[in-house]
Amino acid sequence: MSYGRALAWLYAQMAEGLRPPPELSVSAWADRHRVLTTMASAEPGPWRTARVPYMREIMDRLSTHDPAETVVLMKGAQIAGTEAGNNWLGYVIDHAPGPMLVVLPTVDVAKRWSKQRLQPLIEACPVLKAKVRPSRERDSGNTVLAKEFAGGVIIVTGANSAAGLRSMPVRALFLDEVDAYPPDADGEGDPIDLARKRTDTFARRKVLMVSTPTVKGASRIESAYLDSDQRRYWVPCPSCDVFQVLVWSQVRWPPDQPEEARYHCEACDHAIADHEKGRMLERGEWRPGAVGKPKVVGYHLSALYSPHGWKSWGAIAREFVDARHDPVRLKVWVNTALGETWQE
């Protein structure tokens, strides 16, 4: 090799070494590293975003290179909403280290969540286990409510603890099940406001709010969603290809056979079977429905989108039939199945 070619090769290698690492999205990190345990999922094993394709955009808005600051998810049950937030936790530890605060409704719930969700998440993923020292090691920085790692720490607390909410400045904030938060934390004010103030010193902060809603007019997650661009997930009919948002009024069943429920396309009235849902979800797309506050994106997703094999339209219909004459049970169904607030 000539001197000139050797010098050119050396410069090329130096340039390659100085190039910043490629941008990695939260969904790409999860597909590469996340492993679901039997405690976290009925389908343990490697995480596949393709199983819940509607979560891809939600997770990716939490990536460091995305301009969004606040991501709001108002949801029904069994759609993997909390697991998407847990994927973000792993992403922060492994790829975007920094201080992070996770807030659950109470300190007791926070301790239980840390033991049953956070610690198994770390143990099941080799890249995370290598960065968070075992709690049995002396001075490891790994306790139930604090997980230290190179370049950062995750603090877990309850919304009923003002001391926990004002513990330290954080760049990332995960607010889970916000509609179960108390209205006041130890007499010091709204727990969400107290927690958000922890992010004020970071220019590139990220806040994730997740919850099933409760009562109209008092729901924190609905209020946050209404401040956003109010995105809904549009899916195509497998028969006529018309895109639509899944709504309860289009779910129908034969007399006294709710388990046989099918979804009827609003355009062609094709009776869609639950097993056809996978292709619909795969081709779905998020579309905003409003102009919200700057850098705030919001998503609404009901259990009607739950993947085939999780919660079927027939199961949701059966729950409705069983609850329709009992206002207390019907309220739970509206909150958890439709992901909507209850109005007396």
Side-chain angles (χ1 to χ4, degrees):
M1 181 183 296
S2 68
Y3 175 77
R5 289 179 62 189
L7 194 61
W9 178 86
L10 178 60
Y11 284 146
Q13 294 302 306
M14 292 174 62
E16 183 67 25
L18 294 173
R19 183 176 298 148
E23 293 177 341
L24 182 68
S25 66
V26 174
S27 67
W29 181 90
D31 284 331
R32 188 178 303 175
H33 299 295
R34 179 76 197 277
V35 178
L36 295 168
T37 67
T38 53
M39 294 184 68
S41 174
E43 298 179 358
W47 166 274
R48 294 182 298 122
T49 303
R51 188 76 169 102
V52 284
Y54 46 75
M55 282 299 165
R56 187 180 304 279
E57 180 178 318
I58 298 173
M59 290 190 291
D60 290 351
R61 300 311 298 264
L62 296 165
S63 307
T64 55
H65 56 271
D66 191 277
E69 283 190 355
T70 300
V71 178
V72 179
L73 175 58
M74 183 168 72
K75 67 179 186 68
Q78 296 192 37
I79 60 166
T82 297
E83 287 308 315
N86 293 343
N87 288 340
W88 182 39
L89 288 170
Y91 173 88
V92 168
I93 295 172
D94 183 47
H95 183 75
M100 184 177 194
L101 177 65
V102 181
V103 183
L104 283 301
T106 68
V107 172
D108 286 342
V109 172
K111 290 178 180 178
R112 187 164 62 249
W113 175 86
S114 179
K115 294 176 182 178
Q116 297 178 355
R117 290 290 187 265
L118 181 55
Q119 190 58 39
L121 162 69
I122 294 170
E123 292 289 334
C125 301
V127 293
L128 303 183
K129 191 174 182 180
K131 296 189 176 184
V132 180
R133 293 172 59 190
S135 57
R136 60 181 178 272
E137 291 186 9
R138 190 174 184 180
D139 300 325
S140 68
N142 181 350
T143 65
V144 173
L145 297 179
K147 306 292 183 183
E148 293 182 4
F149 49 93
V153 61
I154 291 178
I155 301 295
V156 186
T157 191
N160 61 340
S161 170
L165 296 173
R166 62 169 187 265
S167 59
M168 59 181 290
V170 294
R171 190 183 66 197
L173 174 61
F174 182 10
L175 304 167
D176 197 15
E177 289 301 340
V178 297
D179 270 22
Y181 287 8
D184 189 277
D186 294 335
E188 296 191 23
D190 181 83
I192 293 181
D193 289 343
L194 292 174
R196 289 187 71 103
K197 288 184 183 299
R198 300 300 94 208
T199 69
D200 286 349
T201 56
F202 289 87
R204 300 186 67 181
R205 58 184 174 268
K206 292 283 186 181
V207 179
L208 172 62
M209 296 179 65
V210 178
S211 189
T212 51
T214 50
V215 179
K216 193 170 187 64
S219 171
R220 297 174 184 272
I221 197 68
E222 183 183 55
S223 177
Y225 177 72
L226 294 176
D227 281 341
S228 75
D229 56 3
Q230 300 178 33
R231 295 173 181 244
R232 307 295 288 268
Y233 200 63
W234 293 68
V235 293
C237 169
S239 177
C240 69
D241 218 34
V242 170
F243 276 73
Q244 55 206 280
V245 173
L246 299 184
V247 293
W248 173 241
S249 59
Q250 296 302 116
V251 178
R252 302 168 194 164
W253 56 89
D256 301 321
Q257 299 181 60
E259 292 86 357
E260 301 301 318
R262 294 198 173 197
Y263 192 92
H264 286 249
C265 171
E266 65 181 31
C268 71
D269 201 40
H270 171 64
I272 307 170
D274 197 80
H275 67 80
E276 298 179 271
K277 203 188 303 184
R279 178 61 175 156
M280 296 170 68
L281 297 178
E282 181 184 331
R283 297 179 57 206
E285 57 189 47
W286 287 104
R287 299 179 184 178
V291 178
K293 292 182 177 180
K295 297 186 177 182
V296 179
V297 291
Y299 301 86
H300 177 265
L301 204 65
S302 73
L304 295 176
Y305 291 90
S306 184
H308 178 59
W310 289 15
K311 197 177 191 73
S312 68
W313 291 322
I316 296 172
R318 166 49 68 188
E319 290 177 356
F320 168 76
V321 169
D322 291 344
R324 60 183 170 175
H325 299 304
D326 183 341
V328 175
R329 294 177 66 187
L330 187 59
K331 174 183 176 180
V332 174
W333 181 86
V334 169
N335 292 160
T336 60
L338 303 187
E340 297 176 358
T341 51
W342 171 260
Q343 188 167 9
E344 297 290 349

